[in-house]
Amino acid sequence: EPEVTQTPSHQVTQMGQEVILRCVPISNHLYFYWYRQILGQKVEFLVSFYNNEISEKSEIFDDQFSVERPDGSNFTLKIRSTKLEDSAMYFCASSTRALTGELFFGEGSRLTVL
Amino acid sequence: LAKTTQPISMDSYEGQEVNITCSHNNIATNDYITWYQQFPSQGPRFIIQGYKTKVTNEVASLFIPADRKSSTLSLPRVSLSDTAVYYCLVGEGNDYKLSFGAGTTVTVRA
């Protein structure tokens, strides 16, 4: 069964460092998303991406964050200068259709900022 | 985005049917209702989606009354492995911004 894959599974970084989280969406999907979940809290929408541009972003997705689809398979989330509060599980998701909400999530990348 | 309300937690026993009701009073005409399951330290997993009446798949059923202001996810004969958080999401057809609420923590006991 096709799946969304994410790397790394866990990354530890120092505050102020840049972090890039990588995702390989399902190959025929056209819509890509990043969510985050701080430990014990709800899953929060960060950004959606379609046709090589951001479709929607939340208030969380400030100038420290950026997304990119550098080639035909990868979808990345960059945090330019990490803060302690960026520590969370980051989930990538993809979907085929814009009309419905069927999202396929990866297993997540746990980011720990020290 | 339509606001959703669902119970914080539910307890059940193996073999029982679990029904989780989600309220979405301001659901819009183009909105679909989608349920996800999440285990600890894993990404949410799609369970079922519907627009109206009843939808059934191999793992669950979704009941949606005619006014669509609520929906009920039914998990037949749960097992210990069904212990998870279940999220109800309501989203517009062209709105990519699907955010998850607090969800319902279902605990299945032996």
Side-chain angles (χ1 to χ4, degrees), chain B residues 68-93:
Chain B
R68 303 200 328 124
K69 294 183 184 300
S70 67
S71 58
T72 299
L73 175 73
S74 180
L75 305 172
R77 296 180 300 282
V78 294
S79 63
L80 296 175
S81 62
D82 292 316
T83 294
V85 180
Y86 292 82
Y87 299 97
C88 165
L89 279 74
V90 175
E92 295 179 2

Side-chain angles (χ1 to χ4, degrees), chain A residues 35 37 45 55 91 98-99 101 103, chain B residues 36 38 43-44 49 93 96 98-99:
Chain A
Y35 288 78
Q37 186 174 31
F45 169 81
S55 308
F91 294 108
L99 294 181
L103 300 177
Chain B
Y36 287 83
Q38 187 182 29
Q49 183 175 72
Y96 309 125
L98 296 175
S99 289

Side-chain angles (χ1 to χ4, degrees), chain A residues 49-96:
Chain A
F49 191 88
Y50 169 70
N51 200 25
N52 286 319
E53 59 183 24
I54 291 174
S55 308
E56 189 98 32
K57 59 182 181 179
S58 72
E59 294 175 352
I60 303 168
F61 194 88
D62 61 21
D63 292 342
Q64 296 291 341
F65 291 89
S66 63
V67 290
E68 192 178 34
R69 188 156 163 82
D71 53 42
S73 60
N74 290 286
F75 179 50
T76 62
L77 174 69
K78 181 191 292 185
I79 308 174
R80 186 162 57 238
S81 178
T82 50
K83 310 184 191 69
L84 295 177
E85 54 265 37
D86 293 328
S87 295
M89 183 75 93
Y90 288 82
F91 294 108
C92 173
S94 67
S95 72
T96 57

Side-chain angles (χ1 to χ4, degrees), chain B residues 24-108:
Chain B
H24 28 81
N25 291 319
N26 59 339
I27 188 169
T29 303
N30 292 333
D31 285 348
Y32 284 77
I33 301 154
T34 311
W35 286 81
Y36 287 83
Q37 174 192 57
Q38 187 182 29
F39 299 113
S41 298
Q42 293 188 26
R45 186 174 70 97
F46 172 86
I47 301 174
I48 198 166
Q49 183 175 72
Y51 184 80
K52 61 180 179 180
T53 62
K54 176 184 175 182
V55 180
T56 298
N57 62 21
E58 62 275 9
V59 297
S61 295
L62 179 60
F63 299 91
I64 305 168
D67 66 5
R68 303 200 328 124
K69 294 183 184 300
S70 67
S71 58
T72 299
L73 175 73
S74 180
L75 305 172
R77 296 180 300 282
V78 294
S79 63
L80 296 175
S81 62
D82 292 316
T83 294
V85 180
Y86 292 82
Y87 299 97
C88 165
L89 279 74
V90 175
E92 295 179 2
N94 60 354
D95 187 347
Y96 309 125
K97 185 180 173 182
L98 296 175
S99 289
F100 291 66
T104 298
T105 300
V106 173
T107 303
V108 181

